[in-house]
Amino acid sequence: MSYGIGNSPSSWINIFKDYQSVSGNIAYWNFSDLASGIYSLKLSAYDKSGKFQDKSILVNIDNIPPVISMESPKNNALYKNIINFKAVVSDNYGVNNAKIIYYNTSSSEKTEVNNIPISSSGNIDYNIDSSSLNGEYYFDFIVTSPPYWNILNK
Protein backbone atom coordinates (compact mmCIF):
# COMPACT_ATOMS: atom_id res chain seq x y z
CA MET A 1 0.00 0.00 0.00
CA SER A 2 1.36 3.43 -0.93
CA TYR A 3 0.27 7.00 -1.50
CA GLY A 4 1.21 9.82 -3.83
CA ILE A 5 0.41 13.50 -4.12
CA GLY A 6 -2.39 14.50 -6.50
CA ASN A 7 -4.45 12.68 -9.13
CA SER A 8 -1.53 11.15 -11.02
CA PRO A 9 1.48 10.93 -8.70
CA SER A 10 4.96 10.85 -10.26
CA SER A 11 6.22 8.94 -7.21
CA TRP A 12 4.73 6.75 -4.48
CA ILE A 13 5.55 6.53 -0.77
CA ASN A 14 5.11 3.14 0.90
CA ILE A 15 2.74 2.89 3.82
CA PHE A 16 3.03 -0.87 4.03
CA LYS A 17 5.16 -3.30 2.07
CA ASP A 18 4.81 -6.98 2.77
CA TYR A 19 4.39 -9.79 0.29
CA GLN A 20 2.80 -12.24 2.70
CA SER A 21 -0.77 -13.43 2.69
CA VAL A 22 -2.90 -10.96 4.65
CA SER A 23 -6.44 -10.74 5.86
CA GLY A 24 -8.27 -8.06 7.84
CA ASN A 25 -6.58 -4.68 8.19
CA ILE A 26 -3.65 -4.35 5.85
CA ALA A 27 -2.21 -1.05 7.05
CA TYR A 28 -2.87 2.07 9.06
CA TRP A 29 -2.15 5.38 7.38
CA ASN A 30 -1.22 8.24 9.67
CA PHE A 31 -1.80 11.29 7.48
CA SER A 32 -1.75 13.89 10.27
CA ASP A 33 1.61 15.31 9.10
CA LEU A 34 0.59 15.64 5.44
CA ALA A 35 -0.53 18.91 3.87
CA SER A 36 -4.23 19.12 3.16
CA GLY A 37 -5.18 18.26 -0.40
CA ILE A 38 -5.82 15.48 -2.90
CA TYR A 39 -3.82 12.23 -2.64
CA SER A 40 -3.90 8.92 -4.46
CA LEU A 41 -3.96 5.80 -2.32
CA LYS A 42 -2.78 2.60 -4.07
CA LEU A 43 -2.99 -1.04 -3.10
CA SER A 44 -0.78 -3.49 -5.01
CA ALA A 45 -1.24 -7.25 -4.82
CA TYR A 46 0.20 -10.47 -6.22
CA ASP A 47 -1.75 -13.68 -6.41
CA LYS A 48 -0.27 -17.16 -5.80
CA SER A 49 0.62 -17.57 -9.48
CA GLY A 50 2.61 -14.31 -9.43
CA LYS A 51 0.13 -12.15 -11.31
CA PHE A 52 0.20 -8.51 -10.24
CA GLN A 53 -2.53 -5.88 -10.03
CA ASP A 54 -2.92 -2.55 -8.33
CA LYS A 55 -5.91 -0.30 -7.69
CA SER A 56 -5.93 3.28 -6.57
CA ILE A 57 -8.47 5.71 -5.19
CA LEU A 58 -8.39 9.47 -4.66
CA VAL A 59 -8.73 10.85 -1.15
CA ASN A 60 -9.16 14.42 0.02
CA ILE A 61 -7.31 15.06 3.30
CA ASP A 62 -8.09 17.97 5.62
CA ASN A 63 -5.55 18.66 8.36
CA ILE A 64 -6.50 22.32 8.83
CA PRO A 65 -7.44 22.91 12.48
CA PRO A 66 -10.64 24.71 13.48
CA VAL A 67 -10.53 28.45 14.17
CA ILE A 68 -11.87 29.78 17.49
CA SER A 69 -12.95 33.37 18.06
CA MET A 70 -13.35 33.64 21.84
CA GLU A 71 -15.67 36.37 23.15
CA SER A 72 -15.73 35.39 26.82
CA PRO A 73 -14.43 34.80 29.41
CA LYS A 74 -11.70 37.42 29.21
CA ASN A 75 -8.11 36.65 30.25
CA ASN A 76 -7.28 37.25 33.93
CA ALA A 77 -10.87 38.28 34.76
CA LEU A 78 -12.46 37.55 38.14
CA TYR A 79 -15.78 35.74 38.17
CA LYS A 80 -18.34 34.90 40.82
CA ASN A 81 -21.09 32.34 40.36
CA ILE A 82 -21.44 32.04 36.56
CA ILE A 83 -18.64 31.94 34.00
CA ASN A 84 -19.98 32.35 30.49
CA PHE A 85 -18.05 30.76 27.62
CA LYS A 86 -19.00 32.39 24.37
CA ALA A 87 -17.21 31.67 21.11
CA VAL A 88 -17.62 31.24 17.39
CA VAL A 89 -15.84 28.27 15.81
CA SER A 90 -15.33 27.47 12.18
CA ASP A 91 -13.73 24.72 10.17
CA ASN A 92 -13.76 23.96 6.47
CA TYR A 93 -15.31 20.50 7.12
CA GLY A 94 -17.12 21.06 10.42
CA VAL A 95 -16.42 20.70 14.11
CA ASN A 96 -17.24 17.54 16.00
CA ASN A 97 -16.54 18.36 19.64
CA ALA A 98 -16.01 21.19 22.10
CA LYS A 99 -14.94 20.79 25.69
CA ILE A 100 -13.77 22.85 28.63
CA ILE A 101 -11.14 21.63 31.06
CA TYR A 102 -10.44 23.62 34.18
CA TYR A 103 -7.64 23.17 36.68
CA ASN A 104 -7.15 24.45 40.20
CA THR A 105 -3.75 26.16 40.20
CA SER A 106 -2.94 25.09 43.79
CA SER A 107 -3.98 21.42 43.60
CA SER A 108 -4.18 18.62 41.08
CA GLU A 109 -7.95 19.06 40.80
CA LYS A 110 -9.07 18.86 37.18
CA THR A 111 -12.61 18.99 35.82
CA GLU A 112 -13.57 18.21 32.24
CA VAL A 113 -16.87 19.19 30.62
CA ASN A 114 -17.33 17.30 27.36
CA ASN A 115 -19.80 17.62 24.50
CA ILE A 116 -20.41 21.36 24.78
CA PRO A 117 -23.27 22.17 22.36
CA ILE A 118 -22.26 23.88 19.11
CA SER A 119 -24.94 25.48 16.94
CA SER A 120 -25.03 24.77 13.21
CA SER A 121 -23.56 28.25 12.62
CA GLY A 122 -20.63 27.49 14.97
CA ASN A 123 -21.80 29.48 17.98
CA ILE A 124 -21.01 28.26 21.47
CA ASP A 125 -22.70 29.77 24.53
CA TYR A 126 -22.13 27.72 27.67
CA ASN A 127 -22.21 28.56 31.38
CA ILE A 128 -20.25 27.01 34.23
CA ASP A 129 -21.49 27.52 37.78
CA SER A 130 -18.39 28.59 39.68
CA SER A 131 -20.08 29.16 43.06
CA SER A 132 -18.52 25.95 44.46
CA LEU A 133 -15.04 26.67 43.12
CA ASN A 134 -12.47 28.03 45.55
CA GLY A 135 -9.15 29.51 44.53
CA GLU A 136 -7.64 30.28 41.16
CA TYR A 137 -8.39 28.18 38.10
CA TYR A 138 -7.25 28.22 34.56
CA PHE A 139 -9.41 27.04 31.72
CA ASP A 140 -8.68 25.27 28.45
CA PHE A 141 -11.31 25.63 25.76
CA ILE A 142 -10.79 22.89 23.17
CA VAL A 143 -12.55 22.45 19.84
CA THR A 144 -11.72 19.49 17.64
CA SER A 145 -12.43 18.33 14.18
CA PRO A 146 -11.14 14.87 13.38
CA PRO A 147 -8.43 14.39 10.81
CA TYR A 148 -10.69 14.28 7.80
CA TRP A 149 -10.50 12.39 4.58
CA ASN A 150 -13.08 11.39 2.05
CA ILE A 151 -12.93 9.15 -0.97
CA LEU A 152 -13.41 10.88 -4.31
CA ASN A 153 -14.52 9.35 -7.59
CA LYS A 154 -11.57 8.78 -9.87
Side-chain angles (χ1 to χ4, degrees), residues 46-102:
Y46 290 91
D47 67 13
K48 290 182 180 182
S49 67
K51 293 179 184 166
F52 172 81
Q53 185 171 11
D54 59 26
K55 293 287 183 184
S56 62
I57 60 171
L58 293 177
V59 294
N60 183 16
I61 294 177
D62 170 38
N63 283 329
I64 300 170
V67 176
I68 303 171
S69 175
M70 199 76 183
E71 295 177 29
S72 69
K74 300 295 182 196
N75 264 344
N76 299 315
L78 297 175
Y79 291 90
K80 291 183 181 179
N81 297 326
I82 301 296
I83 302 172
N84 177 248
F85 286 81
K86 190 173 277 192
V88 177
V89 298
S90 61
D91 186 72
N92 52 333
Y93 284 101
V95 176
N96 72 331
N97 189 27
K99 67 180 173 180
I100 299 168
I101 304 173
Y102 50 99

Side-chain angles (χ1 to χ4, degrees), residues 23-60:
S23 63
N25 292 329
I26 297 171
Y28 293 95
W29 183 24
N30 179 355
F31 52 83
S32 61
D33 291 335
L34 295 177
S36 294
I38 305 293
Y39 290 83
S40 294
L41 185 60
K42 178 172 72 172
L43 177 63
S44 302
Y46 290 91
D47 67 13
K48 290 182 180 182
S49 67
K51 293 179 184 166
F52 172 81
Q53 185 171 11
D54 59 26
K55 293 287 183 184
S56 62
I57 60 171
L58 293 177
V59 294
N60 183 16

Side-chain angles (χ1 to χ4, degrees), residues 117-131:
I118 304 171
S119 75
S120 60
S121 59
N123 293 307
I124 296 173
D125 192 350
Y126 189 81
N127 292 324
I128 291 181
D129 182 357
S130 64
S131 60

